[in-house]
Amino acid sequence: MASPVWQPQEEGLRGICALLQEHRAPSADQTRVFQQLQQFSQLPDFNNYLTFILCRAESQAVDVRQVAGLLLKNSLKMHYTSLAPAFQEYIKSELVLSIGASDRHIRATVGTVISVVIQQGLVKGWPQLLGALLQCLESNDYNHTEGALGALSKICEDSPKELDADVPGILERPINFFLPRLLKMFSSPHATFRRLALSSVNEFIVLMPTALFMNMDKFLQELFNLANDSAPEVRKLVCAALVQLLEVQSSFLQPHLRNIIEYMLQANQDEDAEVALEACEFWSTYCEVHLAPDLIRDYLPRLIGVLLSNMLYADDDEALLDAEDDQSIPDRDQDIRPRFKQSRLHGSVVDEDEDEDDDDIVNAWNLRKCSAAGLDILSSIFGDEMLPILMPLLQTKLESKGDSLWKEREAAVLALGAVAEGCINGLLPHLRQIVTFLLPLLEDKFPLVRSITCWTLSRYSKWIVQAADHAEGHMQFDNVLTGLLQRILDNNKRVQEAACSAFATLEEEAAEELSPRLDLILQHLMYAFSKYQRRNLRILYDAIGTLADAVGSDLNEAKHLGILMPPLIEKWQQLRDSDRDLFPLLECFTSIAQALGPGFVQYAEPVFVRCINLIQAQEVAKADPGRAGVNYDKEFIVCSLDLLSGLAEGLGGSIESLVSRSNLRELLLQCCNDDAPDVRQSALALLGDLAKACAVHLQPNLSDFLTLALKQLQGTEVKENVSVANNACWAIGEIAVKVGQEIAPIVMNVVTCLVPILSSTEGLNKSLLENSAITLGRLGWVCPEQVAPHLEHFMQPWCRALRQIRDDIEKEDAFRGLCAMVKLNPTGAVGSFTAMCEAIGSWNEIHSVELRNDICQVLHGYKQMLGNSWDPYFKALDAAQQEKLSKKYGV
């Protein structure tokens, strides 16, 4: 006997509908509504009620039914698999019956919920849906077909692999019978059908199931038929499909590339900005997949012209709202971009996002920015051969006078910045003229011209600094520096931001060149404190921190500190411990503490104490927010730990008195054991810095610290949290150097973790490999009796890693370990003799006379030990290495 079909209780239905109606009212007490809905959600059949309201409550307003559907979607994401099977079946049967609902909003919501059910229960849990969708697709009823296409497009977007998987009881994979029907819809008279069908197929381009691969000719034919579709949303999808195919399966497009390039040039000028933007992505993708540039070369004159015309600000660009003197208008919370703090990392860092600030100048991704990016990447491929086409166009635009043509000037300056790196060889002889032309634009009437000029000058800063070693270039550098400093004090926030960012870039390139100009720079930066609102203050802190990194100890003069420190300390005192604006200021102080070194001692105590208090408050908040009075925010801990690291690095042994009078050791132990990887990362960096500065204060908990550091090098931790492992490895090495034999109990456990890292073929982080090699050497130096017997197991990969390390004190320590171990176990290294010699040959200069003598002894020891076999071993090295070692060590 069949189970009775679930029916809602009238009272419950009325109550939920009343709450959903109330939820719509602007004056509603949303907290109370939410609480009451939460009470209803405890009912075991609450999701059935929501399903009924969505699918059957036609007496209710459409938006009430939609809200029920959205609540249902969110609930099913969390609880679908735990629902009673009967309830699951009820929900699925009602959704299927509503695929073709008469209202398009209800159809859309039903499709969204269906996709969530597929995500949770998979296609095998609902095979009946496939038949229902096919039946609707074959229907002559518009609503049924549109509803099925809508649901299918959402499933394709959310779970494409599910449609290309075997389903028990069904002979073919779902994609095999859906794809022909979707392709057929490409020629539907209804634009909505064409759009939904094409968006569905596009979801499979990257996945490339066999069904699509085998039907690629048919797909391309239908795609080309849609190229000039009357609906812009369809044309946009055509462009998107071609760009994706170019990226993942360019061979399919090769026979058609000339026609596609022609089409993309046309689409790049589409009256619909979204179509033009999608088409514009084609040029960067073409260059990135390394197709033959010759084909694009023929189109460069037209393409450059199109990109330039699209680099003009659109009339509706939100940046145009910033085109006024707005320095006195307070920033709203939504104006403050989220920060993504990078915890302190010891070792080589490859900055993969060095141009991320460029994004701010062009604001949200749009046709203007995409065109500039396209020009940039084209210049990296074609270089100077673009200049005869580009420069006459730019010259015309740059010479545009008058207010009505300011967008032309602005676009030309943007283009000049975009090609700075790719075309630099051809532009470098004209650098003086370019800078001379740009400098007056820093005074342009229009803020957006001033801001883009700052950015473009920053793109040439490397070469402006290089040219400063002769008189004319020196004057040019001063003019650029002064021009950017003046714009830092602009009355427009956008210009302030651009100038600060550009100046930070110039600082990084100029370094010590800035020292003679410190007074002028500091006066401008400190005056900006009185002008800037919250958002730009963050960028100002960054510029000050970058300045400190660039000039280092040159900042440590009374006259400079008299300008720099008072406003920073005033801001430090103004900000509450719970204010997130404290983060960039903490980072700024970190750079200043490192730059000033012992000179920071006069400011150190209040900074140190506040960092301790911040960490303590957050540890309390983590356990009991009510008692702490603030919500837990780990970033306060990360920034405070990093500043304490900066203090330890800057003050060295002078930090000892501060550490001894605090509970830093106990707090640091907690942080090294924190759940959050970025907290552990910063804590381990501080552990290493404290080991260098005052290891004695770690002594009472030394074994605990070492155990926690070792834990970061074990199991999956290394791959999952590479930066944490990196700092743990570095910290163990620093501790080893300071405590010597006291580290003996864990030495072999550490070595056991380091050897797999050094032997890894998975391309692990360069910094981790270097620190692993250094720490292994340091352990071998302080405990050679323990490590040396195992040399043959790690000598080869260890020496490969040592070869990559730059000359410094840490490398010297590692080679002291090598010498100590090889003296104890020379036969353990003989099988890696070539690798060892190549590592020794990687030194440019060894400053330690003692180490140089040790290495010399090692080589001569092998020469004596190998006897007649020395020549074959030595001649296995390349000629340059043989000559270098012979000359330096007399072997």
Side-chain angles (χ1 to χ4, degrees):
M1 183 173 150
S3 303
V5 176
W6 179 89
Q7 290 292 332
Q9 296 293 316
E10 194 60 38
E11 186 181 349
L13 184 61
R14 269 203 313 273
I16 295 173
C17 285
L19 281 174
L20 298 181
Q21 287 166 358
E22 191 177 348
H23 171 73
R24 295 182 303 155
S27 58
D29 182 350
Q30 297 295 347
T31 304
R32 183 184 58 78
V33 171
F34 177 75
Q35 287 172 346
Q36 289 187 272
L37 281 170
Q38 284 293 99
Q39 290 173 7
F40 273 112
S41 72
Q42 302 309 306
L43 297 171
D45 54 356
F46 177 63
N47 291 297
N48 291 21
Y49 277 97
L50 294 176
T51 304
F52 184 90
I53 295 168
L54 171 64
C55 298
R56 290 191 178 267
E58 294 186 358
S59 61
Q60 296 293 327
V62 167
D63 52 350
V64 170
R65 295 170 66 192
Q66 275 187 289
V67 171
L70 294 175
L71 287 173
L72 177 64
K73 177 195 78 169
N74 293 332
S75 178
L76 294 181
K77 274 185 177 178
M78 304 281 290
H79 309 298
Y80 179 79
T81 54
S82 61
L83 293 179
F87 290 167
Q88 290 182 357
E89 289 306 315
Y90 173 77
I91 292 167
K92 290 190 294 190
S93 63
E94 290 297 308
L95 291 171
V96 164
L97 291 172
S98 300
I99 288 172
S102 58
D103 186 276
R104 64 185 177 88
H105 300 101
I106 300 301
R107 293 197 298 273
T109 306
V110 166
T112 300
V113 179
I114 286 174
S115 180
V116 168
V117 174
I118 291 295
Q119 287 177 65
Q120 302 304 312
L122 311 183
V123 170
K124 67 183 179 185
W126 196 2
Q128 302 89 338
L129 174 67
L130 304 178
L133 289 174
L134 281 173
Q135 192 176 347
C136 289
L137 287 175
E138 301 289 355
S139 169
N140 291 324
D141 182 280
Y142 178 93
N143 293 343
H144 281 79
T145 306
E146 196 259 7
L149 281 169
L152 194 55
S153 73
K154 292 180 178 76
I155 295 169
C156 292
E157 181 181 354
D158 297 333
S159 313
K161 289 182 180 178
E162 273 300 292
L163 297 182
D164 187 37
D166 295 322
V167 181
I170 297 177
L171 294 176
E172 293 189 80
R173 293 181 173 186
I175 187 64
N176 292 355
F177 44 80
F178 278 127
L179 184 64
R181 289 163 175 82
L182 289 171
L183 293 176
K184 184 180 174 184
M185 288 291 175
F186 283 20
S187 55
S188 166
H190 301 293
T192 301
F193 292 7
R194 300 195 300 273
R195 172 177 61 80
L196 291 171
L198 180 50
S199 70
S200 297
V201 179
N202 279 5
E203 295 296 339
F204 291 96
I205 290 174
V206 173
L207 196 61
M208 196 53 68
T210 304
L212 182 56
F213 190 89
M214 300 303 292
N215 283 279
M216 186 52 68
D217 288 341
K218 173 72 171 167
F219 174 50
L220 288 177
Q221 181 187 339
E222 296 292 345
L223 196 62
F224 295 150
N225 289 340
L226 292 176
N228 294 306
D229 196 276
S230 58
E233 58 268 30
V234 175
R235 299 198 300 277
K236 177 184 171 182
L237 288 166
V238 170
C239 293
L242 292 170
V243 170
Q244 283 188 70
L245 281 168
L246 187 69
E247 194 168 2
V248 299
Q249 292 285 351
S250 60
S251 58
F252 286 125
L253 299 185
Q254 290 279 10
H256 314 283
L257 269 177
R258 282 197 176 273
N259 289 334
I260 291 171
I261 291 171
E262 282 285 358
Y263 171 69
M264 287 300 186
L265 277 168
Q266 171 194 321
N268 213 160
Q269 301 168 78
D270 197 286
E271 59 188 22
D272 186 285
E274 289 192 21
V275 176
L277 173 57
E278 204 65 59
C280 196
E281 299 283 2
F282 181 85
W283 314 116
S284 294
T285 305
Y286 188 99
C287 296
E288 285 164 357
V289 298
H290 306 298
L291 290 175
D294 289 346
L295 203 54
I296 288 277
R297 182 177 278 110
D298 298 340
Y299 295 90
L300 276 181
R302 288 166 61 195
L303 175 54
I304 289 171
V306 169
L307 293 176
L308 270 182
S309 65
N310 283 340
M311 284 162 67
L312 267 67
Y313 271 111
D315 292 338
D316 61 350
D317 196 305
E318 62 187 58
L320 297 179
L321 301 174
D322 298 337
E324 57 183 41
D325 290 350
D326 57 358
Q327 67 167 7
S328 60
I329 301 172
D331 290 331
R332 302 164 301 169
D333 285 343
Q334 58 263 43
D335 296 329
I336 312 296
R337 282 194 302 275
R339 293 177 72 261
F340 298 100
K341 170 78 174 79
Q342 289 191 324
S343 298
R344 193 172 174 86
L345 185 71
H346 275 281
S348 303
V349 182
V350 180
D351 186 3
E352 294 173 354
D353 298 310
E354 60 182 356
D355 289 333
E356 63 183 356
D357 287 342
D358 297 356
D359 295 353
D360 301 337
I361 305 305
V362 196
N363 212 12
W365 189 252
N366 54 25
L367 181 58
R368 164 189 157 76
K369 177 174 182 181
C370 189
S371 300
L375 196 62
D376 185 350
I377 197 165
L378 283 170
S379 73
S380 71
I381 301 295
F382 295 102
D384 299 342
E385 67 177 286
M386 284 174 56
L387 293 177
I389 304 164
L390 179 66
M391 293 313 288
L393 297 172
L394 291 190
Q395 192 165 356
T396 303
K397 288 178 180 290
L398 285 167
E399 290 171 353
S400 304
K401 304 295 181 189
D403 291 358
S404 62
L405 297 174
W406 75 266
K407 289 182 185 178
E408 300 279 344
R409 292 196 298 280
E410 196 280 342
V413 176
L414 171 59
L416 204 51
V419 301
E421 292 185 6
C423 298
I424 192 59
N425 291 331
L427 292 171
L428 204 51
H430 311 287
L431 182 63
R432 186 175 63 82
Q433 296 96 305
I434 291 169
V435 173
T436 301
F437 201 92
L438 289 173
L439 284 171
L441 293 177
L442 289 173
E443 307 285 342
D444 197 275
K445 172 182 174 180
F446 292 90
L448 292 172
V449 176
R450 302 199 296 275
S451 66
I452 202 63
T453 304
C454 292
W455 177 76
T456 294
L457 282 168
S458 78
R459 296 275 288 177
Y460 290 92
S461 57
K462 176 180 176 180
W463 299 284
I464 291 169
V465 170
Q466 286 176 3
D469 58 1
H470 56 82
E472 197 174 274
H474 194 269
M475 185 182 299
Q476 177 179 264
F477 171 75
D478 272 337
N479 290 339
V480 171
L481 180 79
T482 306
L484 290 177
L485 287 173
Q486 288 170 349
R487 291 288 60 79
I488 282 174
L489 302 181
D490 202 277
N491 292 330
N492 178 272
K493 290 181 190 177
R494 192 180 185 84
V495 180
Q496 293 170 358
E497 178 183 4
C500 255
S501 297
F503 185 68
T505 304
L506 186 69
E507 287 175 321
E508 289 170 354
E509 297 292 347
E512 65 276 2
E513 284 286 337
L514 300 173
S515 295
R517 303 161 173 85
L518 267 174
D519 274 356
L520 176 71
I521 293 168
L522 289 171
Q523 284 163 8
H524 279 78
L525 294 181
M526 294 306 109
Y527 184 59
F529 263 99
S530 63
K531 293 174 71 79
Y532 279 17
Q533 301 292 337
R534 286 173 59 206
R535 171 176 161 145
N536 283 350
L537 270 177
R538 295 179 171 202
I539 299 159
L540 182 61
Y541 293 141
D542 180 58
I544 294 167
T546 306
L547 177 67
D549 294 337
V551 301
S553 59
D554 288 347
L555 197 57
N556 195 13
E557 288 186 24
K559 61 176 181 175
H560 300 327
L561 297 180
I563 302 170
L564 173 66
M565 295 307 292
L568 286 174
I569 291 169
E570 183 183 353
K571 189 62 69 175
W572 170 265
Q573 292 167 343
Q574 284 173 2
L575 293 173
R576 292 173 290 109
D577 284 356
S578 57
D579 194 329
R580 291 178 65 85
D581 287 345
L582 199 56
F583 299 151
L585 185 54
L586 287 165
E587 290 173 18
C588 180
F589 267 114
T590 303
S591 293
I592 292 170
Q594 289 169 302
L596 296 185
F600 194 77
V601 73
Q602 58 186 307
Y603 311 105
E605 185 164 4
V607 172
F608 182 92
V609 170
R610 187 166 191 184
C611 287
I612 296 292
N613 291 339
L614 284 168
I615 295 170
Q616 273 181 169
Q618 289 301 319
E619 290 293 353
V620 173
K622 188 177 182 183
D624 185 355
R627 185 160 69 90
V630 294
N631 291 323
Y632 174 67
D633 187 339
K634 67 181 179 182
E635 199 160 352
F636 282 102
I637 298 179
V638 170
C639 287
S640 298
L641 290 169
D642 288 350
L643 179 45
L644 289 170
S645 277
L647 285 175
E649 189 176 327
L651 299 179
S654 302
I655 199 174
E656 188 172 355
S657 62
L658 296 172
V659 175
S660 66
R661 289 181 279 125
S662 74
N663 62 337
L664 175 57
R665 187 178 65 248
E666 293 81 2
L667 288 173
L668 182 58
L669 198 59
Q670 275 181 275
C671 293
C672 285
N673 199 29
D674 199 277
D675 296 335
D678 42 356
V679 173
R680 297 201 304 277
Q681 181 179 331
S682 289
L684 289 159
L686 177 56
L687 178 64
D689 283 317
L690 287 176
K692 289 170 74 174
C694 53
V696 65
H697 292 293
L698 300 174
Q699 209 75 37
N701 296 99
L702 187 61
S703 67
D704 297 325
F705 280 119
L706 289 169
T707 301
L708 288 172
L710 176 61
K711 186 179 172 184
Q712 313 308 314
L713 300 174
Q714 294 171 331
T716 59
E717 278 296 317
V718 175
K719 286 181 186 172
E720 290 173 5
N721 297 300
V722 171
S723 298
V724 181
N726 176 78
N727 284 2
C729 181
W730 174 80
I732 291 170
E734 291 296 340
I735 292 170
V737 171
K738 288 294 183 180
V739 305
Q741 284 287 330
E742 288 180 56
I743 204 168
I746 71 151
V747 161
M748 288 316 300
N749 289 335
V750 178
V751 171
T752 303
C753 293
L754 297 181
V755 172
I757 293 172
L758 291 168
S759 306
S760 171
T761 56
E762 295 181 22
L764 281 175
N765 176 279
K766 179 173 183 275
S767 183
L768 177 59
L769 289 172
E770 289 184 3
N771 276 319
S772 297
I774 290 164
T775 295
L776 184 56
R778 285 173 157 177
L779 294 175
W781 179 29
V782 299
C783 298
E785 297 84 1
Q786 283 185 263
V787 187
H790 308 279
L791 263 180
E792 63 183 306
H793 298 298
F794 60 76
M795 190 70 178
Q796 190 90 19
W798 182 41
C799 287
R800 272 202 309 270
L802 287 174
R803 204 170 60 206
Q804 305 301 320
I805 301 172
R806 65 186 179 281
D807 295 0
D808 63 10
I809 188 72
E810 294 181 348
K811 185 172 179 177
E812 286 189 2
D813 286 351
F815 273 81
R816 288 188 179 96
L818 184 148
C819 293
M821 289 189 285
V822 166
K823 285 175 184 175
L824 284 179
N825 181 15
T827 56
V830 76
S832 304
F833 179 80
T834 301
M836 182 186 73
C837 288
E838 286 172 346
I840 292 170
S842 70
W843 281 97
N844 293 312
E845 184 180 358
I846 301 175
H847 293 291
S848 166
V849 175
E850 180 191 356
L851 176 60
R852 201 161 54 242
N853 291 339
D854 281 347
I855 292 173
C856 192
Q857 282 178 29
V858 164
L859 289 172
H860 281 277
Y862 271 113
K863 188 170 184 179
Q864 187 176 347
M865 182 181 106
L866 291 169
N868 294 334
S869 300
W870 167 260
D871 275 356
Y873 271 95
F874 193 64
K875 285 179 180 170
L877 296 167
D878 66 48
Q881 286 282 18
Q882 290 179 46
E883 185 182 354
K884 188 174 186 179
L885 295 178
S886 298
K887 207 176 272 185
K888 279 193 172 185
Y889 304 106
V891 289

